[in-house]
C-alpha cells in the first residue's frame, strides 16, 4: 500500500507493519475493497474482448479474487490475523 494512502486514513507505516487492526485500518481496507469491486465491475466487459481461450481463465480468476474480498469482509477485515480463502 502506498504511504500516501495509509496516511489519508490516519495510519502510519508502523501501524501496517505491526498488524494494527484499528477502526481506521478497517475503514481503509473497506474503501480499498470497494475500489477493487468498482474496477472489477468496469473491467468485466473486457473479458469478452480477450482471445476465446483466455476468457474462462481470466473470468474465473476475477471471480476467485472477488470471493477473497468477500471473505475479508466476512472476517471483519482481520487480514493480519486471518487467512482468507475460498473453496472451489
Amino acid at each position: 500500500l502506498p504511504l500516501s494512502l495509509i496516511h489519508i486514513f490516519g495510519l502510519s507505516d508502523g501501524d501496517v507493519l505491526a498488524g494494527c487492526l484499528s477502526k481506521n485500518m478497517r475503514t481503509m481496507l473497506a474503501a480499498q475493497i470497494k475500489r477493487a469491486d468498482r474496477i472489477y465491475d468496469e473491467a468485466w466487459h473486457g473479458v469478452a474482448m480477450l482471445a476465446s481461450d483466455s476468457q474462462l481463465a481470466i473470468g474465473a480468476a476475477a471471480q476467485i479474487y472477488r470471493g477473497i474480498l468477500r471473505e475479508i469482509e466476512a472476517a471483519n477485515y482481520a487480514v493480519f490475523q486471518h487467512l482468507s480463502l475460498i473453496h472451489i
Side-chain angles (χ1 to χ4, degrees), residues 3-39:
L3 284 176
S4 58
L5 175 69
I6 292 168
H7 294 157
I8 287 170
F9 287 91
L11 299 164
S12 70
D13 53 339
D15 293 329
V16 175
L17 292 173
C20 174
L21 193 56
S22 64
K23 181 180 178 191
N24 286 357
M25 179 67 75
R26 284 186 168 99
T27 300
M28 185 201 57
L29 292 169
Q32 293 311 300
I33 286 175
K34 184 176 179 179
R35 178 177 169 263
D37 279 331
R38 189 175 58 252
I39 292 168

Side-chain angles (χ1 to χ4, degrees), residues 37-59:
D37 279 331
R38 189 175 58 252
I39 292 168
Y40 279 123
D41 288 342
E42 291 171 1
W44 186 251
H45 75 277
V47 174
M49 297 178 194
L50 297 171
S52 60
D53 60 343
S54 300
Q55 293 175 6
L56 180 61
I58 299 302

Side-chain angles (χ1 to χ4, degrees), residues 66-86:
R66 283 190 112 164
I68 293 170
L69 297 177
R70 301 294 75 82
E71 288 295 317
I72 291 170
E73 291 171 328
N76 199 25
Y77 307 99
V79 295
F80 302 111
Q81 296 81 11
H82 175 76
L83 178 62
S84 294
L85 302 169
I86 64 166

